[in-house]
C-alpha cells in the first residue's frame, strides 16, 4: 500500500494472517471519518514480515497503530498526530521481533506501549530514536500483558518533549500472568513533565487484568 507525497487517504488499514506487507509513502492516512465501532486506524493481526515506513497518521478515533500477534515488524519514520481520547500511538501487543524507530508521536493516551492479548509471547521489542508528546497518559508504558512471558524490551534514545496529563513518563503496570525479564530504558531525555514523576513500577492487580495469576518482574 503506497500513499504518495501530498496526498491524503481517508481510510483504515487492516491486515490479518498475511505475510510480506509494506505500507509506505510520504502522504497522510486520515481516520477522521471513521465511526467509533471501527476504532483502530492501523490494525495488523497475526502477520509476518511487515514494513511500515514514512507515512503520517492523523485523526484516529482510537488507537492509531495496533500490532497484534505479529512477527518481524519494522516501523520507521512514522508521524502520528492524535487529539482524541484513547488515542494511543503505537501499541505492540503479544508480538515478537518488532522494531520502532525514528518516529514522532503526539497522542492523548499511551505513546509507545507493550501489551498482550493471548496472541503469543512478547520478545525482542525495540523502540529507539523517537520523539514523544503526550497530552494525557504515559509516553512509555509496559502493562496488560496476557502471555506466559515478555522478554528483551528496549526503549532507547527517546525524547519526551511534553507530558501534560499528570501521569508518570514511564509506567510499568502489570498484574497479568506474564513473567517479565530483560527490560532496558537507555538514554531517555524528559522535559516538561508536569507531574514530575519519572517511573511508576507496580506488579499488582489493576484495571487491565484478566488473568487469575499474577506474574513477576
Amino acid at each position: 500500500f503506497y500513499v504518495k507525497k501530498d496526498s491524503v487517504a481517508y481510510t483504515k488499514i487492516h491486515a490479518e494472517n498475511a505475510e510480506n506487507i509494506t505500507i509506505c509513502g510520504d502522504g497522510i492516512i486520515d481516520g477522521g471519518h471513521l465511526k467509533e465501532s471501527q476504532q483502530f486506524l492501523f490494525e495488523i493481526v497475526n502477520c509476518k514480515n511487515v514494513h511500515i515506513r514514512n507515512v503520517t497518521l492523523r485523526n484516529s478515533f482510537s488507537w492509531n497503530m495496533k500490532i497484534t500477534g505479529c512477527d518481524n515488524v519494522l516501523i520507521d519514520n512514522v508521524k502520528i498526530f492524535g487529539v482524541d481520547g484513547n488515542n494511543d500511538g503505537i501499541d505492540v501487543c503479544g508480538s515478537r521481533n518488532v522494531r520502532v524507530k525514528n518516529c514522532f508521536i503526539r497522542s492523548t493516551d499511551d505513546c509507545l506501549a507493550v501489551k498482550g492479548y493471548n496472541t503469543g509471547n512478547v520478545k525482542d521489542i525495540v523502540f529507539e530514536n523517537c520523539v514523544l508528546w503526550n497530552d494525557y497518559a504515559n509516553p512509555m508504558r509496559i502493562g496488560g500483558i496476557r502471555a506466559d512471558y515478555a522478554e528483551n524490551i528496549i526503549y532507547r534514545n527517546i525524547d519526551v518533549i511534553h507530558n501534560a496529563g499528570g501521569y508518570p513518563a514511564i509506567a510499568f503496570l502489570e498484574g497479568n500472568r506474564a513473567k517479565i525479564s530483560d527490560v532496558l530504558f537507555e538514554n531517555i531525555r524528559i522535559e516538561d513533565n508536569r507531574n514530575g514523576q519519572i517511573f511508576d513500577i507496580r506488579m499488582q492487580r489493576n484495571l487491565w487484568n484478566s488473568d487469575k495469576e499474577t506474574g513477576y518482574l
Side-chain angles (χ1 to χ4, degrees), residues 111-142:
C111 289
L112 294 174
V114 178
K115 302 174 182 177
Y117 299 106
N118 295 314
T119 55
N121 293 312
V122 177
K123 184 176 181 179
D124 299 332
I125 312 298
V126 179
F127 302 101
E128 61 183 349
N129 304 330
C130 293
V131 177
L132 310 180
W133 175 306
N134 190 277
D135 286 312
Y136 186 71
N138 305 112
M140 291 165 277
R141 180 187 177 94
I142 298 172

Side-chain angles (χ1 to χ4, degrees), residues 96 120-123 145-151 177-181:
R96 294 137 306 269
N121 293 312
V122 177
K123 184 176 181 179
I145 301 178
R146 300 168 202 162
D148 293 332
Y149 68 82
E151 63 184 26
R177 70 183 187 275
K179 299 169 178 62
I180 302 172
S181 62

Side-chain angles (χ1 to χ4, degrees), residues 8-24:
V8 179
Y10 294 93
T11 188
K12 169 184 175 175
I13 303 294
H14 181 91
E16 191 165 353
N17 300 320
E19 295 186 15
N20 304 319
I21 299 169
T22 299
I23 302 165
C24 63

